[in-house]
Amino acid sequence: MNTPTLATRRTKPRNLALDVVDAVVERVRAGALVVGAKLPTEAAIMDEFGVSRTVVREALSKLQASGVVQTRHGVGTFVVGLGDASAFRIGPEQLATLRDIIAVLELRIGLETEAAGLAAVRRTEANLTTMRQALDDFAASVSAGLDAVTADFAFHAEIARATQNPHFTDLIGALGMTAIPRARLDPSASADAEKLSYLRRVNGEHESIYDAIAAQDPEAARAAMRTHLANSRERRRRAAALAGDA
């Protein structure tokens, strides 16, 4: 990306991955990145934009899902065009209520249950290392009093990558971190002890998924993922009932 200013312009807080996406799309439109051009490495993009690897991977997933780039495993990521405006996406306006969140969780149950099974069969040691790091980051965030949304998404995104099927990666990337329910709807004023207990329970469910994938047990991995996401869906259903939004 040896082109015009690389720094992103932020006039208001927003998703960092979208800043990277917008910058890449702008360069494709301007002709600074032509079809067939190879993007820099993840490390180079991290350095350029001052963001984490998780942010870069989310941005690349979004760019793939929208048809702007294509990743050739072991080769690199290449520009393929300006994308298809009709590409699958779930925008913020589709995640405004508890009912909307429940609908996305239903989609994720179908998608990620099978992804976990495939990941158990196809995962590499590198995939496991990244998953393990995401779980450790989750635990560290909880200990620091944070909500761990970034680490949560990183764990689920790596499971999608571990399928070695780019379509799973693209769909998870299209959902982005808004797929994590508490990224949008959890009240910040919830009781600290209650939130801590909830987040520890969530990561305990993650550990069960990880253990099954590490053991290369696809049925156990599917069951653990289904349980995890179904538990999240039921928590949202109870919240929706209490809020009169069911």
Side-chain angles (χ1 to χ4, degrees):
M1 295 187 186
N2 299 319
T3 55
T5 180
L6 304 178
T8 53
R9 296 179 296 277
R10 300 187 185 94
T11 58
K12 59 181 180 180
R14 56 170 301 177
N15 185 296
L16 294 175
L18 290 180
D19 285 338
V20 179
V21 169
D22 288 349
V24 172
V25 170
E26 182 178 334
R27 288 165 201 174
V28 175
R29 285 201 181 101
L33 282 173
V34 299
V35 172
K38 183 178 180 180
L39 296 189
T41 63
E42 288 183 358
I45 297 173
M46 289 164 59
D47 183 61
E48 176 182 350
F49 289 96
V51 296
S52 69
R53 189 176 300 276
T54 296
V55 168
V56 171
R57 287 184 171 179
E58 183 183 355
L60 291 177
S61 291
K62 288 180 180 297
L63 287 165
Q64 289 178 59
S66 60
V68 176
V69 303
Q70 182 179 73
T71 296
R72 302 173 197 165
H73 293 290
V75 181
T77 299
F78 298 83
V79 176
V80 295
L82 277 173
D84 180 359
S86 66
F88 173 80
R89 66 181 291 275
I90 294 179
E93 73 281 0
Q94 295 168 285
L95 291 162
T97 69
L98 282 164
R99 188 180 305 200
D100 294 336
I101 295 295
I102 291 168
V104 172
L105 282 167
E106 290 174 348
L107 171 64
R108 289 182 62 199
I109 288 171
L111 174 67
E112 295 191 61
T113 294
E114 183 58 21
L118 292 174
V121 175
R122 301 173 181 174
R123 94 297 189 275
T124 65
E125 289 302 315
N127 292 138
L128 287 179
T129 297
T130 302
M131 287 179 214
R132 182 71 264 164
Q133 184 62 58
L135 294 179
D136 292 344
D137 289 346
F138 191 113
S141 294
V142 172
S143 295
L146 304 175
D147 61 14
V149 168
T150 299
D152 197 333
F153 178 76
F155 177 69
H156 286 273
E158 191 60 29
I159 290 173
R161 275 188 287 273
T163 67
Q164 314 308 329
N165 179 334
H167 299 305
F168 281 94
T169 305
D170 290 349
L171 282 172
I172 293 298
L175 292 173
M177 281 193 283
T178 53
I180 308 301
R182 66 186 180 281
R184 296 187 62 81
L185 293 178
D186 272 5
S188 59
S190 60
D192 289 343
E194 182 181 346
K195 179 181 286 188
L196 184 61
S197 175
Y198 162 70
L199 291 174
R200 285 175 173 166
R201 187 163 62 251
V202 167
N203 215 30
E205 293 169 1
H206 285 164
E207 291 283 357
S208 295
I209 298 166
Y210 173 86
D211 288 345
I213 292 174
Q216 296 189 295
D217 186 336
E219 292 310 313
R222 289 186 181 98
M225 180 64 81
R226 178 173 287 278
T227 296
H228 170 54
L229 294 175
N231 284 346
S232 186
R233 179 185 60 187
E234 292 311 306
R235 284 189 285 265
R236 299 298 146 179
R237 280 180 173 169
R238 289 194 295 271
L242 289 172
D245 190 30

